[in-house]
Amino acid sequence: MERAETTSGDVLEFLAFMDELRIRIWLDGGWAVDACLGTQTRTHRDLDIVIEVQHAQVAVAALNDRGYGPVSRDDTRPWNFVLGDAGRHEVDFHLIVLDENGNGIYGPAESPEFFFPAASLRGTGSIGDRRVECISPEWLVEFHTGYDVDEDDWADVSALCERFAIPVPEDYRSFQKTTSGAKVAETRSDAGRASPPATP
């Protein structure tokens, strides 16, 4: 069964609910990209969030009361899991513990799987008229590397790189060449197209 589209309205409703619970949320993933860009650039199948471990239990319990439950995945872990509702809306949780320097420790304390550098947690953007906290543009690009990237990843990364003058990572060179080739072909096609006759 396919997931429902997560709209900007869904995101704003979720953030307002977390505000009521006094829980700080950072947007991650596709919605973080669009928050940084200040506009929605594509559809989103879920909402990725970063949340402190100390607030996760309250957030999960509150969402359970709203009909959300665990979504089965092969990679579910205590620090990364998904909750979904009957309408097939999904929230992808990434749990962190902030250290004394503001870095987000992701994974077991004794052997962290990953770190969200403090700088990555200083991003801000907007969804509609609301200011939101999110992963910063430079780190969103960095986090979109190191795996088999796809067209959605390229759409996110290319938009961020263009807007914030960030170098395109090596992982996306093939997409960049394809895009450049398409633009050249389009330019040549336009150049060879006859101009419409002048209006008398």
Side-chain angles (χ1 to χ4, degrees):
M1 184 180 293
E2 291 187 3
R3 291 171 286 181
E5 177 185 350
T6 299
T7 67
S8 59
D10 295 327
V11 177
L12 293 173
E13 181 181 354
F14 175 83
L15 292 175
F17 186 41
M18 292 298 106
D19 286 345
E20 293 175 12
L21 300 173
R22 299 181 181 275
I23 294 177
R24 184 182 187 184
I25 296 292
W26 292 267
L27 298 186
D28 196 359
W31 272 113
V33 171
D34 282 354
C36 289
L37 296 171
T39 187
Q40 185 172 351
T41 60
R42 63 177 178 86
T43 58
H44 301 282
R45 294 182 296 274
D46 62 3
L47 173 62
D48 293 279
I49 65 167
V50 177
I51 181 174
E52 291 183 69
V53 168
Q54 62 177 327
H55 300 311
Q57 186 173 357
V58 171
V60 169
L63 287 171
N64 287 162
D65 289 342
R66 287 195 166 194
Y68 280 77
V71 173
S72 179
R73 296 196 318 183
D74 292 339
D75 59 350
T76 294
R77 292 156 294 175
W79 54 90
N80 180 211
F81 53 87
V82 175
L83 297 182
D85 68 1
R88 294 178 284 117
H89 299 98
E90 295 186 0
V91 181
D92 192 342
F93 280 71
H94 301 80
L95 275 56
I96 61 171
V97 175
L98 293 177
D99 66 16
E100 64 275 11
N101 296 313
N103 301 303
I105 301 172
Y106 178 70
E110 62 277 8
S111 57
E113 180 177 311
F114 184 73
F115 286 92
F116 285 87
S120 73
L121 300 173
R122 297 187 188 125
T124 59
S126 60
I127 302 293
D129 295 329
R130 175 180 171 133
R131 176 186 175 278
V132 300
E133 292 189 275
C134 56
I135 304 302
S136 63
E138 297 81 4
W139 285 100
L140 279 170
V141 171
E142 176 67 22
F143 295 161
H144 276 71
T145 61
Y147 58 90
D148 291 331
V149 298
D150 59 22
E151 292 287 350
D152 280 350
D153 295 313
W154 170 234
D156 290 344
V157 166
S158 60
L160 289 170
C161 290
E162 181 176 353
R163 174 69 64 84
F164 298 100
I166 301 169
V168 175
E170 189 63 35
D171 299 45
Y172 295 91
R173 293 301 183 189
S174 60
F175 290 96
Q176 191 176 31
K177 290 175 182 176
T178 301
T179 303
S180 298
K183 288 182 177 177
V184 170
E186 181 179 347
T187 301
R188 288 175 177 168
S189 176
D190 289 342
R193 191 175 298 138
S195 300
T199 303

